[in-house]
Amino acid sequence: MSEIKKVKIGVLGMGVVGEELISIILNNRDKIRRQYSLDLEIKGVFVRNLDKPRRITGLNLTDNAEELLDDPEISVICECIGGAGTEKTREYVFRAVNNGKSVIMSSKKVLALYGKELMQKVLENKVGFGFDATVGGGIPIAKILKNCFKGEGINRVIGILNATSNFIYTRMDKDGLSFEEALKKAQELGYAENDPSEDINGYDALYKAIVLTLFSMKTWTDIRKYAVVPFSQINAADMKYAKELGYHIKPLVVVEKKKSIVYRIGPCLVKESNIAATTNDNFNVIVLEGTNTGVLGFYGQGAGSKPTASAMFDDLINVLNKKDSDELLSHELQLDEIHDVNSLEEYKNNLYWRITVENRVGMFANIASTMAKNNINIERIIQKDEEGDRIGVVLLTSSIDTETISNIIDELKENNIIINAVIPFLDE
Ligand SMILES: NC(=O)c1ccc[n+]([C@@H]2O[C@H](COP(=O)([O-])OP(=O)(O)OC[C@H]3O[C@@H](n4cnc5c(N)ncnc54)[C@H](OP(=O)(O)O)[C@@H]3O)[C@@H](O)[C@H]2O)c1
């Protein structure tokens, strides 16, 4: 039997994820000792508030992160700090790496913002670095992407990556709730935080998209190049009308590798037969389109404390088993030539428009002439509810680039037409 190696671990954060991770470490100590000859010891845990009651007791808690980050006995830091403290989290993980410690990360935000720089530091310091848990939660998508697809490229990734927004959309779709009512329900059931802004404005999905792009298309992309359409920009009427057309609206991430990497993050109409349309409530889906394998779908709980902690524990054991950062990051290091990121500008798809017009002769002619002037076909025009002297109208148009969309919106507004929603279809 090989010699048992003692590993002292520092955990940053003991919220829902940190507590689960600690519990998995404690419950699996004997097994890991037997299988991997590693004796895991949690030397200390950093928290903000030492007086908060904790489910797991008997740990050495500290409210001074440096105590762990500068402790020469600690060789691995597991970061499970709340998203609110991005700058602090960044400072702590860089400090750990510079002090020669391996790092296991949970914060997709810090990774999306500073991952490229951080990976450089990891290589300089020859430490371990695990961050598979930052995307997919219980869906082991990073591990699949690292181990498979050696003989092919992934050219398109479609995902529902934000559980909160998907839960909200599902309740709007199935129960006819407004966005605000569905959000309230999500908060009551613990699917949304008190401050849900990062989830509903699309940023949480954006951070995950950046990490997923690294794993699937081997490219670090720059967050400043992205545009996100907030998931909150739809209402119950859009859900209802989409359904009448045979579609569901989903909070979608689409990443395509063309000459540049092209993104779209926001609400999207998906055909009811598509796997994304049937992914409901707090579930996530990731659909990969490989050059040889074709379409592959991965479905499961993309967040949640237990799935995330379980993925972090895998990262921890992987890091402890690999010898150096080059080996550990071999997949991420074989980066393709850097692709430019072109957000919505290059993304063209057929569009759904919900507008309100005055109920008078000539209004439809106005709309048709604006579209024709901009070289856009109106595929369908459907008159909806009437409210006094105004009527709701749904238009389906051919694909339009972002600049033309804004020109059309300006022209329609000049004609006293209210634009309520403009939502792309996933496919032509
Ligand atoms: N929850 C999920 O489903 C999930 C899924 C994937 C990834 N993640 C990531 O996992 C990380 C931890 O999430 P969580 O849900 O476990 O968070 P959480 O429940 O809010 O816990 C955060 C922990 O960090 C500590 N902390 C220290 N400094 C902080 C600061 N400046 N701001 C906020 N917290 C601070 C808190 O201390 P106190 O306990 O003393 O307050 C707490 O122990 C985040 O990066 C999140 O993005 C979470």
Side-chain angles (χ1 to χ4, degrees):
M1 199 177 141
S2 51
E3 200 186 322
I4 303 282
K5 185 178 163 203
K6 196 150 191 80
V7 178
K8 299 205 180 194
I9 302 166
V11 180
L12 306 182
M14 196 182 175
V16 291
V17 172
E19 205 160 50
E20 285 300 339
L21 176 65
I22 290 168
S23 155
I24 296 175
I25 294 174
L26 297 177
N27 291 339
N28 286 278
R29 256 189 101 173
D30 290 346
K31 190 172 97 185
I32 297 300
R33 206 182 145 91
R34 271 197 318 276
Q35 282 183 352
Y36 298 96
S37 302
L38 295 168
D39 182 15
L40 306 181
E41 181 195 324
I42 298 171
K43 181 149 188 217
V45 182
F46 161 68
V47 292
R48 236 179 339 183
N49 177 359
L50 288 172
D51 298 326
K52 216 187 226 182
R54 311 278 168 183
R55 184 163 56 90
I56 305 170
T57 52
L59 295 161
N60 172 31
L61 299 190
T62 172
D63 58 2
N64 175 10
E66 281 78 21
E67 248 181 53
L68 309 180
L69 299 169
D70 298 342
D71 182 337
E73 279 190 357
I74 290 179
S75 58
V76 192
I77 291 289
C78 296
E79 174 275 313
C80 320
I81 304 177
T86 312
E87 281 313 309
K88 277 281 164 210
T89 305
R90 171 183 186 266
E91 188 190 313
Y92 295 156
V93 291
F94 274 86
R95 185 164 178 151
V97 170
N98 285 329
N99 281 347
K101 300 182 194 318
S102 294
V103 168
I104 312 299
M105 277 187 73
S106 75
S107 169
K108 59 237 154 203
K109 182 172 184 177
V110 173
L111 197 65
L113 289 166
Y114 310 110
K116 199 172 167 192
E117 203 187 322
L118 184 58
M119 205 186 275
Q120 217 42 54
K121 283 278 165 232
V122 163
L123 290 169
E124 278 167 36
N125 288 281
K126 298 194 177 311
V127 293
F129 186 32
F131 55 93
D132 293 8
T134 55
V135 63
I139 309 172
I141 193 70
K143 290 179 178 68
I144 292 165
L145 284 164
K146 283 172 164 189
N147 291 308
C148 310
F149 312 113
K150 292 188 178 62
E152 65 182 304
I154 304 289
N155 289 333
R156 182 153 96 146
V157 178
I158 297 166
I160 294 177
L161 304 178
N162 183 263
T164 307
S165 304
N166 200 33
F167 179 86
I168 293 171
Y169 276 30
T170 307
R171 282 359 301 168
M172 290 173 75
D173 193 359
K174 293 201 182 307
D175 305 336
L177 300 185
S178 68
F179 190 93
E180 292 68 28
E181 287 166 340
L183 169 60
K184 196 159 167 276
K185 187 154 195 163
Q187 285 171 323
E188 281 162 14
L189 293 171
Y191 293 138
E193 311 213 3
N194 288 337
D195 175 6
S197 47
E198 295 253 303
D199 292 311
I200 64 174
N201 66 18
Y203 280 99
D204 174 79
L206 166 59
Y207 306 140
K208 291 170 182 166
I210 290 178
V211 184
L212 201 50
T213 306
L214 172 70
F215 287 128
S216 57
M217 297 177 190
K218 301 189 172 221
T219 301
W220 269 117
T221 46
D222 183 348
I223 198 163
R224 284 165 300 194
K225 301 244 179 116
Y226 289 73
V228 170
V229 178
F231 292 138
S232 49
Q233 270 186 18
I234 56 156
N235 77 10
D238 298 312
M239 284 289 177
K240 187 172 136 220
Y241 299 156
K243 253 199 309 204
E244 286 169 14
L245 294 164
Y247 289 82
H248 292 276
I249 301 177
K250 286 291 174 186
L252 222 62
V253 168
V254 184
V255 185
E256 279 188 58
K257 191 175 186 175
K258 297 187 172 173
K259 264 193 235 126
S260 55
I261 301 276
V262 184
Y263 283 86
R264 199 182 56 212
I265 298 173
C268 191
L269 279 104
V270 182
K271 249 199 186 100
E272 59 192 5
S273 54
N274 189 298
I275 183 174
T278 53
T279 299
N280 287 324
D281 293 315
N282 62 329
F283 278 79
N284 281 196
V285 72
I286 297 164
V287 179
L288 307 176
E289 292 182 18
T291 42
N292 300 320
T293 52
V295 177
L296 292 168
F298 301 89
Y299 171 89
Q301 297 208 44
S305 53
K306 280 178 193 264
T308 305
S310 171
M312 286 188 80
F313 186 70
D314 275 342
D315 282 349
L316 172 68
I317 302 303
N318 281 342
V319 160
L320 294 174
N321 268 322
K322 298 265 166 86
K323 283 166 216 69
D324 58 39
S325 42
D326 285 22
E327 188 188 341
L328 199 67
L329 295 175
S330 58
H331 175 276
E332 291 87 340
L333 290 173
Q334 290 156 14
L335 296 183
D336 282 358
E337 75 279 14
I338 298 299
H339 287 268
D340 231 10
V341 180
N342 265 301
S343 187
L344 299 172
E345 287 81 16
E346 274 212 0
Y347 213 103
K348 283 201 204 168
N349 265 119
N350 294 2
L351 293 177
Y352 157 105
W353 300 69
R354 183 169 55 82
I355 59 179
T356 308
V357 301
E358 284 171 38
N359 194 358
R360 64 174 166 81
V361 178
M363 279 318 280
F364 286 105
N366 266 344
I367 299 167
S369 110
T370 302
M371 293 294 177
K373 219 166 40 180
N374 288 284
N375 236 348
I376 301 304
N377 269 342
I378 299 181
E379 319 269 344
R380 275 176 82 177
I381 185 157
I382 310 157
Q383 188 172 326
K384 293 292 179 191
D385 309 324
E386 256 179 72
E387 263 181 50
D389 59 350
R390 293 195 158 262
I391 43 174
V393 175
V394 167
L395 298 175
L396 308 185
T397 66
S398 57
S399 63
I400 313 181
D401 63 71
T402 314
E403 201 185 324
T404 314
I405 295 179
S406 8
N407 293 342
I408 294 175
I409 290 178
D410 289 345
E411 285 178 43
L412 292 177
K413 278 184 180 163
E414 275 168 28
N415 281 316
N416 216 2
I417 293 169
I418 301 165
I419 319 293
N420 302 302
V422 183
I423 308 173
F425 286 83
L426 174 59
D427 288 307
E428 315 255 317

